[in-house]
Structures are given as C-alpha cells and as structure tokens.
Amino acid sequence: MGKVVGIDLGTTNSVVAVMEGGKPVVIANAEGMRTTPSVVAFSKDGERLVGQMARRQTVLNPQNTFYAVKRFMGRKFAELTPESKQVAYTIRTDEKENVKIRCPRLKKEFAPEEISATILRKLAEDATRYLGEPVTQAVITVPAYFNDSQRQATKDAGKIAGLEVLRILNEPTAASLAYGLDKKDSETILVFDLGGGTFDVSILEVGDGVFEVKATSGDTQLGGNDFDKQIVDWLAEQFLEAEGVDLRRDRQSLQRLLEAAEKAKIELSGVTVTDINLPFITATEDGPKHIEANLTRAQFEGMCGDLISRLRTPVKRALTDANMTPSQIDEVVLVGGSTRIPLVQQLVTNMLKKEPNQNVNPDEVVAVGAAIQAAILGGVGVKDILLLDVTPLSMGLETIGGVMKKLLPRNTPIPARRSDIFSTAENNQTMVEIHVLQGEREMAADNKSLGRFKLTGIPPAPKGMPQVQVAFDIDANGILQVTATDRTTGRQQSITIQGASTLSQAEVNQMLEDAEEYADLDRERRERVDKRNKAEALTFQAERQLKEVALDFGLQFASGKRRRIEALIKELRESLVEDEEYEIDQITTELQDALYDLNREVKLLSSDDDDDLLGSIRGIFTGDKEPREVERPSYSRYNNSLGNESYDRRPVGRPQEPVRRSKSKNDYVEEDWDDDDDEWY
C-alpha cells in the first residue's frame, strides 16, 4: 500500500503534506510553491489550468475561471447568500435546485464537487511526483462546522479525483495535531481558524498522545473573502459616486477589484497605509477611467467592525460549551492566512488575555495535521496517538406534538452511540415513522430534516405499550446511521445519513443563534404542547381507572364520582379539539381533583384488611376511624413517543420515589411513601 497524504482543501489555497522519517513534510507543487491556489480555469484552447496558472488569467478570462468553490459544495442554490453569489463567473441552479457552475468555453456546466476534484487531482499528482509512487489514499480536512451534506460533498470530490478518502478531519483538530505532536504535558489549546471562506474555533485538551476536542463552534460564511469584499465595496461605491458606474456589474472590473482588495488587505498587515492603483478599470463616453486611492489601516479596520463582532460569538460559545474561562486556556493557536490581520490578532489577545502562539505556519499547519492523521491511519511512523473529535450540531428525532428529542447533543465525542426507548401513538398501531433531525431548537419544524424511514410489523397493542428502541451511531467521519428495533419481535429497520442533508451554512449558524434568540418562545411552545399531551394522557388514565374501579368494586361503587369523571373526560376532549387553552387548564385541574377523590375512596376501602367493607364505610360517617390522607397523584405523559403519546408510570417531579401497585395488574396508583414513619400519607 502506498503512502497516505494529508490534504487541506481550502477556499483560497490548498496544501498537501506527507509523513517522512517520522516528520510531516509539506510537498511543493510543480511551480515550486508550497501552497496551491484553489482556482480552476479553462483557456482559449479548452486546456484545463489549476493553481497559479489558472489564477493568472482571472482578469482576462473571468467567466471561465472558478475560485472559492468550496462555499458552494453540498448546498442548494436557494441557500446561497447574495454575497456568496457575487463572483465573476456564472452560477445557476438545475432542475434539482443544486448549484451548477457554467463554463462558456466548454459549453458545459460543472458541479462544485467536480471543480474541487480537479484541485485534489492536481495535489495528488504533485505528491505522486514527489514520492515517486502513485497516491491513491488521502485524509482531507473540512471546517469543523461543515454539515453532513458538505462533508459528503468533500468525500465525493475525493472520489471523483480518484482518491480513497480514509477520513474527513476537522481543520482545527488537524491544526492541534500539528501543534501538539511533541507535547508531553497536558495542555488546553484553543485553535482560532480564520481561512479564506470559513471560520472555526475549537477547544482541545492535548497530552500524552491524546487529542480530545472539548467544544467546537464557528461561522462557515465568514472568512478572508468577506474582508476583501469590504474593500471592494468601498472602492466601488467611491467610483459609483464619482463616475456613475457600478464596477461590480462588470466581470473584469469586479475581478480586478477583488485582486486589488486582497493585495491591499495583505499589505495593511505590515504597513499603516497602502496605495490602490487600477488604471483603465473601465471606459465611458468620456474615455478610460482609472482608480487611484489611499487606504489606511484605520479605515480598513473601521470597515470590518461588523466582521470582527461576528468573530466574538463563536469564541464565547465554544468557551461556554467547554465550561471553561479564558484563564483556563494554556495556548492559542492561529490558523489560516486571515489571522495575520492585526485587528484579528488584537481581538484574540483581548478576548483570551494572552498572546497567540506564532510558532506554527498558519497556511500549512492544517495540512501537516492531516498528514499526521494519514500516517496514523496508514500505520506508518506515528503510534500511540488517540484523536477524539466531536459532532458540531445536535441530532435527534421528532416525538409527539412536533417536539425534537435530542439523542446526540452537540459537542458529543465521536464515534458515538446513543439510544432511547419510544412507543406507539395510537391503539393497535403496527408501524412507526422515524424522523431524524439536526439542530438546536426545541420544535422539530425549526430544525433540519436529515431523513425518514418506517418500522413496520409491530404487533397490535394499546398505545404506549410497544417498545421501540431507536439508536444513533455516528462514525469518525460524522456519518450517521439510525436503527429502530421493535423489542417484542426483534424486527429492525435502519437508515444511513450520508449527505442526505442539504443543510446550508447559513442555516447551521442560524440554528444556534435562533436557539438563543427564541429560547423563551421555544419554551412556551414546548410547554403548550406538553400541557395538551398531559391533558390527553389524563383522559386515558381516567378511563382506565374507571374500568378498574368498576371491575374491583362493582358498578354501583362511587357512581356519582364516576359520572362526574366521565363528564369531565368528555369536556376535556372537546376543549382539546377546540384548542381552548384556558378551558384545558381548568378542566384538567377539575379532573385531577375528581380522580383524587375517587382514589381516596378506593384507598379507604382497601387500606385495612382487618376491617370489613361495612365497618370501613361506617367509620367514615361516624368518625370512629380517621381516614388516612393520600397524596394527590400526578399524571404525566411519557415524552418519548413517536407520532403521539404514551404514559409515564412515575409521579411527575419525583422520578426516584417508589410506586405502589393497586389491585389492577395494568394500572398504577401513584402514592408517596414516607420512610420516616412507615406510613402512607
């Protein structure tokens, strides 16, 4: 088996590295550069150009030169933001609403995965030339906040390039591998990864060969390209005001503005003022027009204030999820070329109260970490290293009332397995539908659907009686498999979520923000659903109890109370149909009181085995025997139900208290036991 390489497939630049002699080595490309621009172009002759050669013709051939394609991978066209669509080439949607990139030169359309595959193939060829043997296996890195669809799209791009992708590795995790390879003492590292198109922050504990990710967060619509765009808009608005021409509407002019903005951004990292000169940027009836402008660092930092603010939120979220404070972070590692911006470095220093570590090359460190992981998987050169990554978003399924039940909370270490027991929603139900979700909101409708499947062949039984075990298995690549098993028959059904999600990057970031912004609203909606479910459960509980009382004591026993309960059951169900919240609350309380009184009479008749029934009744009216108080039972719905509800057999709020059976085999009279005086009360 040949060597496995590590590839950092970046938005702006890509890097390939390999382990040699126990040390990671970054492989230079055919042009002698250690980084390869993530650009693909087609020349006038239809020749495919990749890297620096493609980048050189972006101005003269903008429609056939494709860059920053990483932002389009695994996404639907409708999910793209207006800013991401502002490129010099043409993007469109096909009949399936997928993103397509139009190439006029070849009169053909490409999927983003095909463009990325061309870049990967170029990197693999450079590695093959360097190693002297074919490269067919690789570890490819992705932003930690990439969703299922984007991860699968990256894996598909590797397949198109002829590579077997052994692992999809999070970029901050790869950076920590490169930084902490020789560390012997345990340290807590925060990796701040601001690349060309994405931003990630991860907190890891590193020591003794163990790399454990504690928390991860990020914004996959924030990167160096967004800083460039601020300068582009500044230049374009000035020119529009002076000349009445919007340069952003012309492909060649836009491309020249983008290149000038990137150059100015880089220069301002070392100097306080830069000159921007773009002769013959366009032409009007008055002749050719030029751009001559001076941009200071202070002006640039003023433009980027909103972007800097967006960097703060993921850092705070990661610290909160890891249950840490800035003082507990031992090292801060900067990754990505955009971390060279002085304002970004100042932000990191101010937030974390320490100077960031500058010992690693921010452009190459991710590829180096990928090479280390590749060597681990290939069994070459690196041993005794354990990598524990996490899943960035919660996963679960829909239960009764449209509520999401989370089985895999975000930042759960992977690979992982979680399972829970659910039940049927209707009497004699022989099939349940498993609806798999991803997100952080309380209600299923507010989260992203990953897939659905059905488990059939469940034996007919009363609602809430069958037991269906649903298990979530997520592997090291973040690929999820969901299995449902009927515990009675052993019948099983499963689904593998392999990029079935087309979760947009904007949706991923919006999920957590919405979860915080609408936390109160979600809580109210959840409480409303729970209230309805408890009320409905109470009606079935009351009916069962009436039947048990009739069987045990006869139809004449407590006939008045039983008629009252039957009337309240009918009224409550009518209120549930009409969705009258006030009436539901009032009738539920009255029904609980009526059931309490009925239970009290039942208890009085069954409490003393030495007294006969007539003596017990006489004691109630004569006062010779003080009836023992019985705590009013609480009626609770068992929330883990698929499609409807089943019932909890424990008092609400006291799940650890013992429960005593009534005479019925199928019902529970919920009573509290006082351990001190050994009495029912």
Side-chain angles (χ1 to χ4, degrees), residues 324-484:
M324 291 183 179
T325 61
S327 61
Q328 295 176 279
I329 304 297
D330 298 316
E331 289 285 354
V332 179
V333 179
L334 298 182
V335 179
S338 298
T339 57
R340 293 188 175 96
I341 299 174
L343 186 60
V344 173
Q345 295 183 358
Q346 182 181 348
L347 169 72
V348 174
T349 302
N350 292 340
M351 288 193 69
L352 301 173
K353 311 302 181 185
K354 55 175 57 67
E355 291 292 331
N357 188 299
Q358 304 284 346
N359 295 334
V360 295
N361 187 324
D363 296 324
E364 301 175 356
V365 64
V366 172
V368 169
I372 295 171
Q373 179 65 35
I376 296 171
L377 296 177
V380 179
V382 181
K383 297 180 180 179
D384 300 327
I385 289 182
L386 176 62
L387 177 60
L388 301 174
D389 216 328
V390 299
T391 178
L393 287 170
S394 301
M395 296 181 181
L397 46 82
E398 182 179 1
T399 61
I400 176 175
V403 175
M404 177 178 174
K405 168 69 176 181
K406 297 176 182 177
L407 266 69
L408 281 171
R410 75 174 188 267
N411 291 320
T412 297
I414 58 175
R417 176 182 171 87
R418 296 288 189 276
S419 65
D420 207 342
I421 303 297
F422 298 83
S423 190
T424 53
E426 299 177 358
N427 293 327
N428 301 319
Q429 184 175 339
T430 60
M431 179 273 294
V432 293
E433 184 179 62
I434 311 297
H435 184 196
V436 186
L437 301 164
Q438 184 178 32
E440 304 300 329
R441 301 288 297 275
E442 292 286 346
M443 307 304 294
D446 298 324
N447 295 301
K448 182 63 181 181
S449 173
L450 296 183
R452 299 172 183 261
F453 67 98
K454 296 180 179 180
L455 176 64
T456 60
I458 300 175
K463 59 191 299 185
M465 294 301 294
Q467 290 189 326
V468 178
Q469 182 174 21
V470 180
F472 277 38
D473 288 277
I474 185 167
D475 63 18
N477 291 315
I479 304 300
L480 176 67
Q481 181 171 357
V482 183
T483 303

Side-chain angles (χ1 to χ4, degrees), residues 43-222:
S43 67
K44 294 180 180 180
D45 300 328
E47 181 184 2
R48 181 170 54 192
L49 306 174
V50 185
Q52 190 63 38
M53 296 295 293
R55 190 171 186 177
R56 289 174 184 170
Q57 66 163 16
T58 52
V59 174
L60 295 178
N61 189 19
Q63 286 186 287
N64 299 286
T65 304
F66 314 122
Y67 57 89
V69 175
K70 184 176 179 179
R71 282 191 165 186
F72 304 137
M73 291 178 60
R75 305 182 69 195
K76 296 291 186 180
F77 186 86
E79 297 166 348
L80 302 181
T81 62
E83 292 78 11
S84 62
K85 295 178 183 178
Q86 194 173 23
V87 291
Y89 51 90
T90 302
I91 59 173
R92 59 172 297 275
T93 179
D94 62 7
E95 61 278 1
K96 296 182 179 179
E97 298 185 358
N98 294 321
V99 176
K100 292 294 182 180
I101 300 172
R102 181 177 296 173
C103 179
R105 186 80 69 198
L106 300 181
K107 297 181 180 179
K108 183 180 178 181
E109 293 180 347
F110 294 97
E113 290 83 355
E114 294 179 89
I115 303 298
S116 295
T118 303
I119 300 169
L120 292 172
R121 187 179 297 110
K122 156 78 170 170
L123 297 172
E125 289 172 355
D126 291 335
T128 297
R129 175 184 48 81
Y130 174 82
L131 296 171
E133 60 183 275
V135 172
T136 59
Q137 296 179 316
V139 170
I140 303 178
T141 62
V142 296
Y145 240 47
F146 254 21
N147 57 47
D148 292 303
S149 181
Q150 293 164 316
R151 290 173 187 269
Q152 188 65 32
T154 303
K155 204 167 185 178
D156 291 341
K159 293 178 181 178
I160 296 172
L163 294 172
E164 179 186 0
V165 182
L166 299 184
R167 180 67 55 85
I168 296 295
L169 184 63
N170 289 341
E171 291 170 359
T173 307
S176 69
L177 280 174
Y179 168 79
L181 182 60
D182 298 324
K183 297 293 179 181
K184 300 300 181 183
D185 298 330
S186 179
E187 285 188 343
T188 301
I189 302 174
L190 185 143
V191 180
F192 189 97
D193 183 358
L194 182 61
T198 59
F199 169 56
D200 286 306
V201 57
S202 292
I203 299 175
L204 306 95
E205 293 218 353
V206 180
D208 297 327
V210 178
F211 296 76
E212 183 179 2
V213 181
K214 292 296 186 182
T216 188
S217 187
D219 186 340
T220 51
Q221 279 293 290
L222 178 60

Side-chain angles (χ1 to χ4, degrees), residues 403-645:
V403 175
M404 177 178 174
K405 168 69 176 181
K406 297 176 182 177
L407 266 69
L408 281 171
R410 75 174 188 267
N411 291 320
T412 297
I414 58 175
R417 176 182 171 87
R418 296 288 189 276
S419 65
D420 207 342
I421 303 297
F422 298 83
S423 190
T424 53
E426 299 177 358
N427 293 327
N428 301 319
Q429 184 175 339
T430 60
M431 179 273 294
V432 293
E433 184 179 62
I434 311 297
H435 184 196
V436 186
L437 301 164
Q438 184 178 32
E440 304 300 329
R441 301 288 297 275
E442 292 286 346
M443 307 304 294
D446 298 324
N447 295 301
K448 182 63 181 181
S449 173
L450 296 183
R452 299 172 183 261
F453 67 98
K454 296 180 179 180
L455 176 64
T456 60
I458 300 175
K463 59 191 299 185
M465 294 301 294
Q467 290 189 326
V468 178
Q469 182 174 21
V470 180
F472 277 38
D473 288 277
I474 185 167
D475 63 18
N477 291 315
I479 304 300
L480 176 67
Q481 181 171 357
V482 183
T483 303
T485 306
D486 178 18
R487 300 184 71 178
T488 302
T489 64
R491 189 179 294 272
Q492 188 177 94
Q493 185 61 266
S494 65
I495 183 174
T496 300
I497 311 296
Q498 290 187 334
S501 166
T502 53
L503 202 60
S504 72
Q505 295 174 2
E507 284 178 329
V508 174
N509 299 318
Q510 198 66 35
M511 285 177 185
L512 291 176
E513 295 175 6
D514 288 350
E516 298 171 1
E517 182 179 354
Y518 300 110
D520 293 337
L521 177 61
D522 284 343
R523 192 176 300 109
E524 291 175 3
R525 293 169 65 186
R526 177 82 184 243
E527 289 175 355
R528 191 177 301 116
V529 170
D530 286 345
K531 186 185 299 181
R532 286 183 55 87
N533 292 334
K534 289 179 180 179
E536 189 173 357
L538 183 60
T539 62
F540 290 104
Q541 180 81 6
E543 285 181 336
R544 287 202 301 268
Q545 192 161 343
L546 289 177
K547 292 178 183 178
E548 294 297 334
V549 169
L551 289 174
D552 291 341
F553 303 100
L555 295 176
Q556 301 303 318
F557 173 74
S559 58
K561 290 184 173 61
R562 290 168 54 206
R563 284 194 296 269
R564 172 63 176 160
I565 291 173
E566 290 172 351
L568 288 172
I569 291 173
K570 182 179 179 180
E571 291 179 20
L572 183 55
R573 284 179 172 162
E574 291 174 353
S575 299
L576 287 170
V577 172
E578 298 295 331
D579 197 18
E580 298 174 350
E581 188 172 352
Y582 176 77
E583 296 293 330
I584 292 174
D585 290 341
Q586 186 177 18
I587 299 173
T588 298
T589 302
E590 292 178 9
L591 181 56
Q592 288 176 334
D593 290 341
L595 287 172
Y596 167 73
D597 292 338
L598 180 62
N599 285 338
R600 188 169 181 268
E601 281 205 25
V602 170
K603 181 59 182 174
L604 287 174
L605 292 176
S606 59
S607 59
D608 290 328
D609 294 336
D610 295 336
D611 294 338
D612 59 11
L613 180 61
L614 181 61
S616 299
I617 297 176
R618 185 184 301 112
I620 295 175
F621 293 100
T622 61
D624 295 337
K625 185 177 188 132
E626 184 68 24
R628 293 170 182 158
E629 293 294 326
V630 180
E631 169 136 358
R632 181 176 305 176
S634 298
Y635 299 88
S636 169
R637 180 183 59 82
Y638 182 41
N639 288 323
N640 287 4
S641 301
L642 299 171
N644 208 320
E645 78 291 325

Side-chain angles (χ1 to χ4, degrees), residues 132-320:
E133 60 183 275
V135 172
T136 59
Q137 296 179 316
V139 170
I140 303 178
T141 62
V142 296
Y145 240 47
F146 254 21
N147 57 47
D148 292 303
S149 181
Q150 293 164 316
R151 290 173 187 269
Q152 188 65 32
T154 303
K155 204 167 185 178
D156 291 341
K159 293 178 181 178
I160 296 172
L163 294 172
E164 179 186 0
V165 182
L166 299 184
R167 180 67 55 85
I168 296 295
L169 184 63
N170 289 341
E171 291 170 359
T173 307
S176 69
L177 280 174
Y179 168 79
L181 182 60
D182 298 324
K183 297 293 179 181
K184 300 300 181 183
D185 298 330
S186 179
E187 285 188 343
T188 301
I189 302 174
L190 185 143
V191 180
F192 189 97
D193 183 358
L194 182 61
T198 59
F199 169 56
D200 286 306
V201 57
S202 292
I203 299 175
L204 306 95
E205 293 218 353
V206 180
D208 297 327
V210 178
F211 296 76
E212 183 179 2
V213 181
K214 292 296 186 182
T216 188
S217 187
D219 186 340
T220 51
Q221 279 293 290
L222 178 60
N225 294 347
D226 298 284
F227 288 83
D228 297 343
K229 187 178 180 300
Q230 298 295 323
I231 301 177
V232 169
D233 290 340
W234 178 72
L235 292 171
E237 292 295 336
Q238 281 191 329
F239 194 87
L240 178 62
E241 183 178 351
E243 303 293 343
V245 178
D246 191 350
L247 297 175
R248 290 165 292 192
R249 295 183 178 274
D250 180 75
R251 297 179 189 275
Q252 289 189 343
S253 299
L254 174 60
Q255 189 57 47
R256 292 186 66 186
L257 287 176
L258 289 169
E259 290 189 354
E262 183 182 8
K263 181 180 177 182
K265 177 190 69 176
I266 294 172
E267 290 180 353
L268 287 176
S269 296
V271 298
T272 57
V273 62
T274 183
D275 295 329
I276 301 175
N277 297 306
L278 292 171
F280 302 99
I281 187 67
T282 190
T284 65
E285 295 178 355
D286 300 329
K289 299 297 179 180
H290 320 288
I291 289 181
E292 294 182 9
N294 292 329
L295 179 62
T296 66
R297 183 185 292 178
Q299 287 177 303
F300 173 62
E301 292 177 351
M303 299 174 193
C304 301
D306 58 332
L307 299 178
I308 294 298
S309 298
R310 287 171 62 185
L311 293 173
R312 297 177 180 273
T313 302
V315 176
K316 294 179 180 178
R317 185 183 298 138
L319 288 170
T320 301

